[in-house]
Amino acid sequence: VSSHRTIGRLAIDRFSVGPLETNCYLAWDQQLRSAVLIDPGSFTSQLADGIAAEALEVEWILDTHCHFDHTAGNSAAKEALGARLAIHELDLAGLEGMHISAASFMPGLDVPESPNPDRLLKDGDAVTLGGVELTVMHTPGHSPGSISLVRESVIFSGDTLFSGGVGRTDLTGGDWEALMQSLAALMRLPDETLVLPGHGPETTIGRERVTNPFVGEALAAIRG
Ligand SMILES: [Zn+2]
Ligand SMILES: [Zn+2]
């Protein structure tokens, strides 16, 4: 575990997985022991051990988007945990071709095909783990179906927003304009909101508002 924290009744462990050091998050309701696994770029033994040690029932595997570094462990995680898989509907096609694009992105990398999702997500949907709800925010740009997951004072931002950066838009389905609009939408969250990104260290909305040049560009574009 790279980090552990609690926010209200939600506990969150961060694991760094796979060749691109993706942040995979295990989040659970401390009262009811129900969990979600966000972005299993690889289903590592540390992850399996962490889930077992906390005696968690993983309800959902949530992919913030289709790229292999967030989804290559879908198959192993689903088989081990029996959890349902969910992704935004606009990243379904990308998920279906994920194992093929992975091989072209990193030759020699052998990534198993993802299982079919059990649920296709849309903006505003709620995903429930025990007594906790995560709200789906559609934040396209890095991919057509990129989502962020919001719970009160915390957001899992996938590859949309990083500490000091943003996700690239030169991959299939990437869209810079859409990314700028997504950043502007994220900036409507309160400054104290903790941002847990798909790569790199955590940050806050307030910090990115002031220091992230891409956020500055997005907000300037909105102001015209
Ligand atoms: Zn990505
Ligand atoms: Zn990524």
Side-chain angles (χ1 to χ4, degrees):
V1 180
S2 309
S3 79
H4 173 81
R5 63 164 64 245
T6 57
I7 297 169
R9 64 192 279 182
L10 194 67
I12 304 167
D13 277 358
R14 176 166 64 97
F15 298 80
S16 179
V17 301
L20 300 182
E21 299 189 331
T22 304
N23 290 327
C24 172
Y25 297 98
L26 177 65
W28 69 94
D29 177 342
Q30 296 181 93
Q31 292 173 30
L32 298 176
R33 316 308 293 173
S34 291
V36 291
L37 186 60
I38 300 171
D39 286 349
S42 172
F43 189 66
T44 62
S45 55
Q46 287 98 320
L47 259 174
D49 291 348
I51 291 164
E54 294 286 348
L56 301 177
E57 183 72 35
V58 179
E59 310 269 358
W60 292 101
I61 299 161
L62 300 175
D63 296 337
T64 59
H65 63 293
C66 63
H67 294 153
F68 80 92
D69 56 314
H70 300 253
T71 58
N74 280 356
S75 170
K78 198 171 200 312
E79 192 175 307
L81 305 171
R84 290 164 292 172
L85 173 65
I87 191 167
H88 192 276
E89 56 186 3
L90 294 179
D91 262 21
L92 176 61
L95 185 68
E96 287 169 348
M98 173 272 293
H99 57 295
I100 297 162
S101 40
S104 63
F105 191 81
M106 279 193 137
L109 199 67
D110 189 18
V111 170
E113 207 170 333
S114 176
N116 291 324
D118 300 284
R119 180 176 171 190
L120 293 176
L121 301 169
K122 290 192 205 56
D123 187 62
D125 281 355
V127 178
T128 305
L129 56 147
V132 175
E133 266 190 6
L134 298 175
T135 303
V136 174
M137 200 173 156
H138 184 210
T139 49
H142 176 63
S143 72
S146 279
I147 58 169
S148 299
L149 295 156
V150 189
R151 153 80 182 170
E152 290 172 3
S153 56
V154 61
I155 182 163
F156 300 91
S157 62
D159 286 2
T160 299
L161 176 63
F162 302 129
S163 175
V166 294
R168 55 196 286 184
T169 56
D170 59 334
L171 301 171
T172 306
D175 182 335
W176 184 255
E177 294 279 310
L179 181 67
M180 290 294 109
Q181 285 176 24
S182 294
L183 291 179
L186 288 174
M187 289 304 128
R188 291 198 279 273
L189 295 167
D191 277 347
E192 61 273 19
T193 306
L194 177 70
V195 178
L196 300 175
H199 301 272
E202 64 187 43
T203 182
T204 63
I205 289 291
R207 184 163 181 272
E208 295 314 299
R209 192 193 308 281
V210 173
T211 62
N212 187 318
F214 304 99
V215 168
E217 184 179 336
L219 293 174
I222 292 290
R223 283 186 218 107

